Structure formats: structure tokens, C-alpha cells
Amino acid sequence: MKITLPVAASKIRTANNILVTAHVNPDGDAIGSVLAVLQVLRSMGKDVAAYIDDKIPKNFSVMPYAEEIRQPREDEKFDADLMLVLDTAPDRIGAVKNLTDAPILNIDHHITNKGDEGDLYVDADAAATCEIIFQLFKEMHAEITTNVAVCLYTGLATDTGFFNYSNTKPATLRTAAELVEAGVQPNLISEQLEKRTFQEIQIMSAALQTTKLFYGGKVVGMFIDRELYSQVETTEGLIDLIRVIDSADVAFLITEKEQKVCRVSMRSKGVEVSSIAKRLGGGGHVRAAGCTIYESMDVAKTILIRTIGEFMIENGYLRPADFENRDEVDLAAMNFENE
């Protein structure tokens, strides 16, 4: 059920034992939201535990209280009276869902989140969930310490591409300004997130070598198989290396994290990739979305490219006349790979 922000604040106030979580394959917004909430609710005297069903990327591990985020263990339970799910729908939190049967309060900014489980506050106009959490703290008259501000700013900055993406709005910049006034030093955050080891640069080079164009260059993809993924500390930022290709309307990164588990991230210059992701069981924003395909890399790759092509044809971004015949576009998208 969809609720208002004041109602969400009231539900948090009345809870005492709170489990806070976010989506698998966490990004800066997910981690920043969780860590900010953890600090503020503990300052209110609540028993709060933070779980994410994935490793925290190294560059984000320097955020205040990042060491407090746990990965769920098999058969582990947490005695909560509220589970706070941030930056995603509850179906993308992995094994964390098995930790408690507590009522769910879901706070998100993804337009594809329909609130099928628990109570949902969603603001699709917000650039990041961290922007919503900042407003939530104001609603609760919570103190925004420098550590809390650092977490919120990190999420806001990363989800807007450091305020370069189209989701950057006047309210976004006003929020960022208030966080800077609370003690954030933007240069230190950007420097930390941009750091790469020599090995990581080499791996980025290897990842770039997997890049291929499809549909006459209108779609570009990068492929991280299990062997390459075993060497990667994080895939954060890899898709930004290819989304700038001038001919491409859609860019995607597909990562084979384990056998028959392929994570997909998509970016676009206008194509509604959230609808493509939704067809594959995922979601997100108009220009930034993702999903998980439970197949091998080869099968997942074919499914993804075909689904992107079908959607683009249906919505006028591609014309079957651009190719030799419709069957090739519909059934064998891989034929349009530029070797």
C-alpha cells in the first residue's frame, strides 16, 4: 500500500527493533541510504541492524559505519518489528528477506516499484533514495551529523553521475548544498570513489575489450564473464565507459556473477530501459535500470539483446527495414553484432 512520508516517519518512530536493507549488488545510493538510516535511528535509541546480501564495493567501504553492514548467514534470524527496505522493491534483497517476518516499510525512488509488499513510500521525482531519506530526517526532526551527511551525499552524487545526469534537478542541488553545509567535502568523496588500483585499470581495459555493437550501433554491450568477474573488485562505473558511445541509444553491462546468475545494468539516452528491465523481471528508471537473468552468459546475452531489440522496434527506435529481414531482428539479434 502506498503511504505518505509523514506516515512512513510515524511507522519508524513507533518501531524499536529495525532491520534495514537495500538491493543486491549495492550501489552508492543503496549503501548511503542504509548507513544514514542506521546512524540516525540508533541515535534515537532504536536497536538497528543493517544487512545487504552482497559484498560492499571497496570504494564505498570507507563510508562512516560501513563495517556495520552484514551479509546474512544461512538460518540466521533477526528479531525485528519493522523491516526497512531502501532503494528497491523487497523482491531484490536476496537472502535478507529470510531474516525476519516483520512488517515491511519500503522507501524508494524507482518508478517501477508498485508496492506489492508492505507499505511503500515512493517518489519517482527524487534523484536518489538518499534525497528522500534526507527529507524523511527533516520530517522526523533528526540531526544531520557530518557522518550522516557524507553517506547521503555519496548516494546522491553517485546516482546523478556527480550531478551530470538528467535526474539532477533544482531540489537535488539544494539537497547537496545543505549536505555540504553539514560538513561534507565533495572533493574528498569524489577522490575516494575515483580511486583505482593498477590491477583494476588493467581489468577495466580487459572489460572494454568485450564491448560489442548491435543493431547497427544503436545498442552497445559489455560482457563480464565469471572468469573476469573473479578478478573484479566492483563493476561500479564500468557501464559509464561505454554509454558515451555516440551512435548508441542503449548501453548495457551483463555480469555473470555465478553459474546461471547474470546481473544486467542498462543506461540510455532516452529509450525507456525501465520497461525493458521490467520485461525481464527487473525495474528502475527511464534511463537507468537493471535486472537479473537466471541463465548462463550465452543464453542471458541472447535473451537480453533480443528483448532490447523487440522493445526498440515496437517503440520506433529501430525499424525492421534497417535490416535484411524481420526474422533476424526478432529471433536472432546476435546476427547484428559488429565483429
Side-chain angles (χ1 to χ4, degrees), residues 112-175:
T112 51
N113 191 337
K114 301 304 180 185
D116 294 331
E117 296 183 70
D119 294 312
L120 169 68
Y121 177 76
V122 61
D123 179 2
D125 289 328
T129 297
C130 279
E131 187 174 343
I132 300 173
I133 297 301
F134 180 71
Q135 296 302 323
L136 174 71
F137 291 163
K138 284 192 167 185
E139 179 71 30
M140 299 175 71
H141 304 290
E143 180 186 4
I144 308 293
T145 65
T146 298
N147 279 345
V148 170
V150 165
C151 295
L152 294 177
Y153 183 92
T154 300
L156 193 61
T158 52
D159 249 30
T160 59
F162 285 87
F163 311 104
N164 284 322
Y165 297 163
S166 62
N167 59 346
T168 303
K169 299 172 182 174
T172 313
L173 297 174
R174 283 193 287 268
T175 299

Side-chain angles (χ1 to χ4, degrees), residues 11-292:
K11 289 181 177 293
I12 292 171
R13 286 192 194 97
T14 58
N16 293 310
N17 301 309
I18 300 173
L19 187 156
V20 58
T21 189
H23 53 80
V24 296
N25 196 27
D27 56 11
D29 192 26
I31 298 165
S33 298
V34 166
L35 292 176
V37 165
L38 175 77
Q39 294 172 69
V40 166
L41 297 191
R42 281 186 177 174
S43 73
M44 297 169 62
K46 299 183 183 298
D47 181 12
V48 186
Y51 285 87
I52 292 179
D53 189 16
D54 240 327
K55 293 188 301 182
I56 304 302
K58 182 180 64 178
N59 285 26
F60 294 117
S61 65
V62 298
M63 294 170 67
Y65 295 88
E67 71 280 0
E68 295 278 348
I69 296 179
R70 316 173 198 172
Q71 283 186 269
R73 301 188 306 272
E74 189 175 356
D75 299 325
E76 185 180 5
K77 297 294 180 183
F78 181 75
D79 184 19
D81 51 23
L82 182 69
M83 180 159 70
L84 187 53
V85 178
L86 305 176
D87 199 39
T88 186
D91 61 356
R92 290 196 63 227
I93 61 174
V96 174
K97 201 165 187 181
N98 302 325
L99 292 172
T100 181
D101 294 323
I104 294 173
L105 173 58
N106 188 190
I107 298 176
D108 194 9
H109 72 127
H110 294 101
I111 196 170
T112 51
N113 191 337
K114 301 304 180 185
D116 294 331
E117 296 183 70
D119 294 312
L120 169 68
Y121 177 76
V122 61
D123 179 2
D125 289 328
T129 297
C130 279
E131 187 174 343
I132 300 173
I133 297 301
F134 180 71
Q135 296 302 323
L136 174 71
F137 291 163
K138 284 192 167 185
E139 179 71 30
M140 299 175 71
H141 304 290
E143 180 186 4
I144 308 293
T145 65
T146 298
N147 279 345
V148 170
V150 165
C151 295
L152 294 177
Y153 183 92
T154 300
L156 193 61
T158 52
D159 249 30
T160 59
F162 285 87
F163 311 104
N164 284 322
Y165 297 163
S166 62
N167 59 346
T168 303
K169 299 172 182 174
T172 313
L173 297 174
R174 283 193 287 268
T175 299
E178 290 192 55
L179 294 172
V180 171
E181 288 172 348
V184 170
Q185 295 178 270
N187 62 305
L188 297 183
I189 292 175
S190 62
E191 287 168 9
Q192 176 58 40
L193 296 182
E194 290 168 358
K195 281 182 180 178
R196 297 289 186 271
T197 65
F198 179 69
Q199 182 189 23
E200 286 171 334
I201 293 296
Q202 290 180 309
I203 291 169
M204 288 170 66
S205 175
L208 280 170
Q209 295 305 309
T210 72
T211 303
K212 296 186 183 299
L213 296 173
F214 305 89
Y215 301 118
K218 292 189 176 183
V219 175
V220 60
M222 180 184 286
F223 307 89
I224 309 296
D225 61 19
R226 275 188 292 163
E227 181 180 357
L228 186 55
Y229 181 70
S230 68
Q231 306 171 56
V232 175
E233 178 66 32
T234 178
T235 59
E236 185 78 18
L238 286 180
I239 197 168
D240 293 323
L241 300 175
I242 60 172
R243 69 176 183 84
V244 297
I245 292 175
D246 57 357
S247 68
D249 294 324
V250 173
F252 68 81
L253 167 67
I254 183 166
T255 304
E256 188 178 29
K257 296 200 70 173
E258 52 190 274
Q259 188 173 12
K260 291 197 172 183
V261 179
C262 292
R263 299 267 174 82
V264 176
S265 295
M266 287 182 279
R267 300 290 184 271
S268 83
K269 296 168 184 171
V271 176
E272 192 174 325
V273 289
S274 58
S275 293
I276 298 172
K278 193 172 181 180
R279 294 185 181 192
L280 297 168
H285 305 287
V286 171
R287 296 190 180 185
C291 61
T292 301

